[in-house]
Amino acid sequence: MKTRTLPIHSIDDNTLWNNLKMGDEKSFSLLFERYYSDLVSYGNSLSPYAEKVQDCVQDVFTDIWVYRNSLQESVVVKAYLLSSVRKRIARLYERDHIFRKTASTDTIAFLLEFSVENELLDDDYATKEKVMYLNKLLNELPPRQKEALYLRYHQGLSVEQIAEMLDVNYQSASNLLHRGLLALRKEWKGSFAFITLLFSSTL
C-alpha cells in the first residue's frame, strides 16, 4: 500500500519545524517558500535597503538550518521568524552605525505604508473613498502603533507575541494597539464597524 502524501499547504508549521530540526531539508525548504515573501515584506517595512533586507531574511534561514539542533521545540513559527528578521535588521543598523548600539529594537521606525485595500470584503461598506481615507489615517499613526496594528491584523500575531517582538511588556503592547484604534476612532467620520470589519477580515 502506498503512503499517502499530504498536500504541501496542509502540512502545519509545527510539523515542518520539528522535521527540519531532525535534518529534513524538504521541510526546511517548505517553510522558506511559505514565509519568505512575508518576511521580506516585513523587513522592507523596517529598512529602505531592499537588498540588505533580503540578505537578512536569508541569514535568518541559514542560522535556523545551521543551528537546527539547538532550536526550541515549541514555537509559533511565524512569530519566531518575524521576530528573528526584526532582530537581524536591528543588528544591521547597529553594524552600520545608523543608531547607537542597544539591546532593544525599539529605535527601528516602521516604514511600511499601511494598506487594507487588498483585504476588502465584498459588501456595501467597502467603498474606494473610505478605504483611501482609512489608509491615510493609518499611515498618520506613530510608527510603533502602526507596526503593532500591522502585526496584529495583517500577520495575525497575539498581543503576547507582539510584546516579545517589540521588546515591551504585555500591557505596553496592548496599549499600542488600543491607542492606535482610539486614534482611528477619533478621526474616522463614518461607522467604526467598517474598520472592525476590515481588520477582522485579515485574521
Side-chain angles (χ1 to χ4, degrees), residues 136-155:
K136 176 178 179 293
L137 295 180
L138 282 166
N139 289 304
E140 289 174 348
L141 292 174
R144 296 280 276 179
Q145 292 178 16
K146 186 165 65 168
E147 183 174 8
L149 288 172
Y150 170 84
L151 292 171
R152 180 74 183 103
Y153 296 105
H154 273 240
Q155 296 297 342

Side-chain angles (χ1 to χ4, degrees), residues 52-70:
K52 290 185 177 182
V53 166
Q54 292 177 30
D55 289 342
C56 285
V57 173
Q58 290 173 7
D59 287 346
V60 165
F61 278 102
T62 297
D63 283 352
I64 285 174
W65 182 252
V66 171
Y67 301 108
R68 60 188 180 278
N69 292 328
S70 59

Side-chain angles (χ1 to χ4, degrees), residues 116-172:
V116 297
E117 186 171 2
N118 293 330
E119 310 297 342
L120 288 175
L121 299 180
D122 185 16
D123 57 58
D124 295 337
Y125 288 112
T127 66
K128 182 177 180 180
E129 292 78 12
K130 286 183 178 181
V131 170
M132 290 176 63
Y133 181 55
L134 177 57
N135 285 335
K136 176 178 179 293
L137 295 180
L138 282 166
N139 289 304
E140 289 174 348
L141 292 174
R144 296 280 276 179
Q145 292 178 16
K146 186 165 65 168
E147 183 174 8
L149 288 172
Y150 170 84
L151 292 171
R152 180 74 183 103
Y153 296 105
H154 273 240
Q155 296 297 342
L157 301 192
S158 68
V159 179
E160 292 90 345
Q161 291 159 358
I162 293 171
E164 182 177 353
M165 283 191 63
L166 301 185
D167 196 22
V168 298
N169 60 36
Y170 178 94
Q171 189 58 52
S172 295

